[in-house]
Amino acid sequence: MIETLLAFVVATAGGLVPILNIEVYLLGAVATLDDGALVAMAVAAAVGQTLGKIPYYYVGKGTITAPWLKRRAATPGKWATRMADWRAKAEARPIWGAGLLALSSFASIPPFMVVSVLAGVVRMNLVLFCVLTFVTRLARFLILVLAPAWALSHLPG
């Protein structure tokens, strides 16, 4: 139970501060916990990461101000150009924007923090943002915690 609560706390903090890595925490738990506890931790981590990305969504929407983000967006360069391209595509094709969010949330390519801001910029529905984030983060974390046990059980010998 305490492991699940800690997974939630670490995931929420990691959602807010990208240098904190929930994946490392979950992988550490793989060696010591059974599958039921790992699934509970993956769910808690997915909830925590979803909550941790909501402030970035609101930064993009303009509800929360972030001077560092405004400076970064105003700086000409590859980042600003890509963001403008993604924004144009997401505004023109909402399904493309949802797909980009799902890909980013699952694979972290493009960076999930950036795409969370973009979701707010294009005014993606907050419920859709949260559902997509939760489902794809949960899939990511379940694979992360269950794949090692599955792989070990299928080794010859």
Side-chain angles (χ1 to χ4, degrees):
M1 181 65 175
I2 191 74
E3 298 88 4
T4 303
L5 178 60
L6 282 172
F8 172 77
V9 170
V10 170
T12 304
L16 293 167
V17 181
I19 60 169
L20 299 176
N21 194 315
I22 184 60
E23 287 86 351
V24 171
Y25 179 81
L26 291 174
L27 279 175
V30 167
T32 60
L33 298 172
D34 63 37
D35 287 352
L38 293 172
V39 169
M41 288 177 68
V43 171
V47 171
Q49 284 275 290
T50 301
L51 292 175
K53 291 304 179 194
I54 290 173
Y56 289 103
Y57 170 90
Y58 280 115
V59 164
K61 198 169 182 179
T63 307
I64 299 174
T65 58
W68 66 269
L69 185 65
K70 288 182 181 178
R71 280 193 309 273
R72 184 83 189 250
T75 305
K78 188 167 62 172
W79 188 90
T81 304
R82 281 189 184 161
M83 187 74 162
D85 290 346
W86 292 339
R87 179 182 181 173
K89 285 181 184 177
E91 286 175 339
R93 296 182 222 114
I95 291 177
W96 184 91
L100 180 66
L101 175 68
L103 173 68
S104 178
S105 176
F106 182 76
S108 293
I109 300 172
F112 188 37
M113 182 184 76
V114 173
V115 175
S116 296
V117 173
L118 177 66
V121 168
V122 300
R123 305 289 198 252
M124 179 181 282
N125 180 287
L126 180 61
V127 172
L128 177 62
F129 173 81
C130 290
V131 168
L132 280 174
T133 297
F134 173 76
V135 168
T136 52
R137 285 270 127 173
L138 179 60
R140 174 186 176 99
F141 298 147
L142 285 173
I143 290 169
L144 182 75
V145 299
L146 297 177
W150 180 86
L152 287 174
S153 69
H154 287 80
L155 286 176

